[in-house]
Amino acid sequence: MTIRDEHLRQALQHAPDRLSAPHENTSRAVLSYARQTLEKEQRVWWQSCMMWLKKPLVSNWQRAGVGGLATALVVMLIFWQMAPEKATWPDAFPEHAFNTDKNNAVALMKDKNAAELNAPLMRRKARATGAPAQEQTMATQPGHVIGQGEHQSIALDHSSPATNEIASAPISAPAVVAGANDSSGAMSSANQARGSGSQKTEAASAELSEAKPVKKDAVLDIMQLLDSIKNEGGQTVAARDISLSKLRMLKLDMSTTKQENSAPCLQMATVDASPDMETGYPVLMVSICDSSMQLINGVAEYNQQMQDYWYRQLQKKNNER
Amino acid sequence: MGESITTDEDLMRKFCAGDMRAFELLYQRHERPIYRYIRRLMGGAFNAQADDVFQDVWIRLIDARLQWQPRENASFKTWLYTLAHHRTIDILRKSGREVSVDEGWLDDEPGSPWQSWPAAHALEPEQQVFWRKAGQRLLHCLDGLPAMQRAAFLLHHEDGLSVDEMRLVLNAEFEAIKSRLRYALFKLRACMGAYLPPMVD
């Protein structure tokens, strides 16, 4: 419906202001505003993060937190992408390693040079913990085979005060605890993971089970730890370890899984020469036969939980300051 | 597809999706009509503020672009004029200018203006001069109308909005719009005097 007056419309079209337009600056301002709005919208997420970090309201500890997380991510990526070392088990684990000597030794030093390099640190650690001089001597001797009776000194179980100290401080000596079969139930899954295994391994296991008293040694602990991680999940196990002050990081070495059937598939645990870069917790290198995703994910969860705990402690300390 | 056949709604949709070129076209298309509407609605006394209001309207449009939804009975043009109308009326109110429906300074001029209309008999070059003068007179007459009647007249005559569309822009009932238009026409005709032809019907 229209109620138009044609003559008035004509008059309006011929009005002197018919060609009037906004000032050039006004038009420029409108177009510029529209452009800026669109650019702001299209800003990628990381630019937004940078903008957030630049805000004066963002405090230093928030920046530190973001930085810490970024560092942790980078470290994790580095470890993730590190190719597993080519397995050299026959050399690293000569047959005599399975023979029980008078102390039922089943482990040997993996890297003699590393032991020499880390000897001063180990001595300092021993002094701090008041460890017996004999252990100091043994620890500094390259190639020293750690026997069954000595496992407590490098035990990864932190439940006892002595071992707690070792666990909470970076352990420098590359002590190697070779995995051996045990007739106890806790070892059954490890045996299964090992698959058919070789006759040599079985023989060694038999010898060990005869010679070794049923003792909760480090190897057994590791086996149980891996079993627990696999069954209960990394987070649960890590939470339990934290409550027991067992602070450590796990690192899986899956090179053993690539062993041929003829070669023995050995479980082995090594305390890494250098502690975790971020947390400072000792790194427990575990060579495994079981490379299931369940276990790998579980270990990742375990480590994450440990990192989170460390970060929370760090924040707590900062707040106290 | 040429730019000329792209509808306002398509351009607005593209702008909402991040196309700056679409906004430029949209702006180019509506820049002058909207500016004229604001300027004329504000009246001669407030012409200086027309640029500010105009800029404010477009900024509001840009900010509110994500709320815009194309509807069947409400085009982009209607939406734009709604923003412009409300913003202008706000400014007029804040400026202390009366924004009533019925009141204005224009009174019916005495006499019968239709008898002395000269344009129909004017020569071609003179016709231009005549219409220009008529336009000038009309702007003067518009200043005398109440803002709501002025808005109704401008939207219907200059910008070609239908009464239905005007209902949305002016937020008024159908009958109220018609009434305002009739009042506006009556007063303007009376004010235009010699610049209008005699009434036919």
Side-chain angles (χ1 to χ4, degrees):
Chain A
M1 179 187 174
T2 58
I3 315 173
R4 282 200 185 95
D5 183 310
E6 199 51 41
H7 285 86
L8 289 178
R9 200 179 66 82
Q10 282 280 341
L12 199 59
Q13 281 181 355
H14 288 87
D17 68 346
R18 68 186 186 283
L19 296 176
S20 62
H23 194 272
E24 196 181 330
N25 287 344
T26 308
S27 294
R28 202 176 295 135
V30 170
L31 293 172
S32 168
Y33 184 79
R35 196 169 292 116
Q36 280 175 7
T37 309
L38 288 185
E39 280 170 5
K40 208 185 291 175
E41 218 170 60
Q42 289 161 357
R43 190 175 288 147
V44 288
W45 65 269
W46 62 267
Q47 279 176 320
S48 301
C49 286
M50 292 303 289
M51 290 287 284
W52 180 78
L53 285 172
K54 281 178 186 172
K55 276 185 186 173
L57 288 175
V58 180
S59 59
N60 284 334
W61 70 265
Q62 280 174 314
R63 286 193 188 122
V66 173
L69 282 175
T71 311
L73 192 69
V74 170
V75 170
M76 281 182 70
L77 279 174
I78 289 168
F79 277 112
W80 187 261
Q81 290 181 347
M82 273 174 65
E85 289 174 16
K86 192 160 185 173
T88 51
W89 290 106
D91 299 333
F93 262 96
E95 211 168 315
H96 61 79
F98 298 99
N99 295 331
T100 53
D101 59 4
K102 59 181 177 181
N103 294 321
N104 294 328
V106 289
L108 81 164
M109 195 72 77
K110 195 175 181 182
D111 187 349
K112 295 176 183 179
N113 294 330
E116 285 171 355
L117 286 171
N118 292 307
L121 286 171
M122 192 59 190
R123 274 197 294 274
R124 192 171 59 193
K125 174 69 191 167
R127 271 198 299 275
T129 55
Q134 188 192 356
E135 283 187 10
Q136 288 178 41
T137 315
M138 284 190 296
T140 54
Q141 284 175 357
H144 170 69
V145 176
I146 301 171
Q148 183 79 26
E150 296 158 12
H151 280 172
Q152 281 179 338
S153 64
I154 58 152
L156 297 159
D157 183 349
H158 300 243
S159 54
S160 64
T163 52
N164 274 348
E165 284 176 24
I166 294 170
S168 58
I171 296 176
S172 307
V176 179
V177 183
N181 285 335
D182 194 297
S183 56
S184 64
M187 298 292 284
S188 59
S189 63
N191 284 332
Q192 284 169 8
R194 200 171 296 158
S196 58
S198 69
Q199 288 181 350
K200 285 178 184 177
T201 313
E202 285 169 8
S205 302
E207 284 178 12
L208 281 172
S209 60
E210 281 175 14
K212 190 174 68 174
V214 180
K215 191 175 178 182
K216 191 180 178 185
D217 62 8
V219 179
L220 190 59
D221 264 355
I222 293 156
M223 298 306 168
Q224 283 174 341
L225 177 70
L226 295 181
D227 275 348
S228 303
I229 288 174
K230 203 174 166 186
N231 296 328
E232 299 171 40
Q235 284 186 347
T236 314
V237 177
R240 194 191 305 142
D241 280 0
I242 288 167
S243 69
L244 296 170
S245 300
K246 292 180 185 177
L247 305 177
R248 60 192 166 190
M249 303 293 280
L250 295 180
K251 194 172 160 187
L252 293 181
D253 177 8
M254 286 175 284
S255 56
T256 49
T257 59
K258 293 177 183 175
Q259 291 286 303
E260 292 175 6
N261 285 340
S262 56
C265 181
L266 299 171
Q267 307 272 1
M268 192 179 81
T270 314
V271 177
D272 210 348
S274 54
D276 182 59
M277 282 172 68
E278 189 187 8
T279 59
Y281 296 157
V283 179
L284 181 61
M285 176 95 88
V286 186
S287 300
I288 54 164
C289 297
D290 176 12
S291 63
S292 66
M293 284 309 291
Q294 200 180 355
L295 182 62
I296 293 165
N297 290 338
V299 169
E301 285 173 6
Y302 182 95
N303 286 339
Q304 187 61 51
Q305 190 78 2
M306 285 289 171
Q307 277 183 337
D308 289 348
Y309 174 76
W310 168 80
Y311 183 63
R312 282 197 301 275
Q313 293 297 312
L314 186 70
Q315 277 186 323
K316 207 172 161 184
K317 280 180 190 171
N318 285 339
N319 289 339
E320 282 171 5
R321 279 178 204 162
Chain B
M1 195 167 76
E3 287 174 353
S4 57
I5 57 167
T6 312
T7 63
D8 290 344
E9 286 71 27
D10 286 340
L11 289 175
M12 188 61 188
R13 231 175 265 123
K14 284 180 183 173
F15 171 55
C16 290
D19 187 350
M20 185 58 200
R21 178 72 189 137
F23 179 78
E24 285 170 357
L25 286 172
L26 206 56
Y27 181 79
Q28 206 176 347
R29 198 177 279 183
H30 293 284
E31 176 190 17
R32 289 188 177 218
I34 277 287
Y35 182 75
R36 269 201 307 271
Y37 175 72
I38 291 168
R39 190 183 158 96
R40 286 170 176 172
L41 185 55
M42 294 198 80
F46 297 92
N47 269 350
Q49 291 183 40
D51 271 88
D52 291 342
V53 177
F54 172 82
Q55 184 175 327
D56 199 29
V57 167
W58 280 99
I59 283 174
R60 279 165 188 244
L61 180 141
I62 292 163
D63 287 342
R65 69 195 179 284
L66 298 178
Q67 280 115 51
W68 175 76
Q69 290 290 332
R71 291 181 198 163
E72 201 175 317
N73 58 346
S75 61
F76 169 78
K77 188 178 173 181
T78 313
W79 186 53
L80 181 58
Y81 274 93
T82 307
L83 289 175
H85 175 78
H86 288 296
R87 189 66 194 135
T88 311
I89 294 295
D90 279 352
I91 296 292
L92 286 177
R93 282 204 175 107
K94 282 176 190 167
S95 307
R97 178 155 178 180
E98 186 69 36
V99 187
S100 67
V101 176
D102 300 320
E103 289 178 15
W105 57 258
L106 208 63
D107 293 318
D108 291 345
E109 288 187 355
S112 49
W114 324 115
Q115 306 303 319
S116 54
W117 184 62
H121 311 288
L123 297 173
E124 191 69 21
E126 290 168 348
Q127 229 173 8
Q128 293 293 325
V129 178
F130 167 79
W131 281 116
R132 187 169 175 79
K133 283 184 179 175
Q136 202 161 6
R137 174 72 184 165
L138 182 58
L139 291 182
H140 171 73
C141 294
L142 275 171
D143 270 356
L145 285 181
M148 289 302 181
Q149 288 178 20
R150 192 160 63 241
F153 174 80
L154 288 172
L155 288 172
H156 199 50
H157 284 75
E158 161 77 8
D159 300 305
L161 265 69
S162 68
V163 178
D164 271 339
E165 288 172 321
M166 285 161 67
R167 279 172 57 207
L168 298 168
V169 174
L170 302 176
N171 194 24
E173 292 301 317
F174 189 80
E175 286 304 322
I177 303 282
K178 282 205 300 183
S179 171
R180 283 176 202 175
L181 263 176
R182 285 201 185 100
Y183 271 114
L185 288 177
F186 178 77
K187 288 178 184 176
L188 288 174
R189 278 176 187 144
C191 176
M192 289 295 284
Y195 291 101
L196 285 176
M199 293 284 282
V200 177
D201 50 347

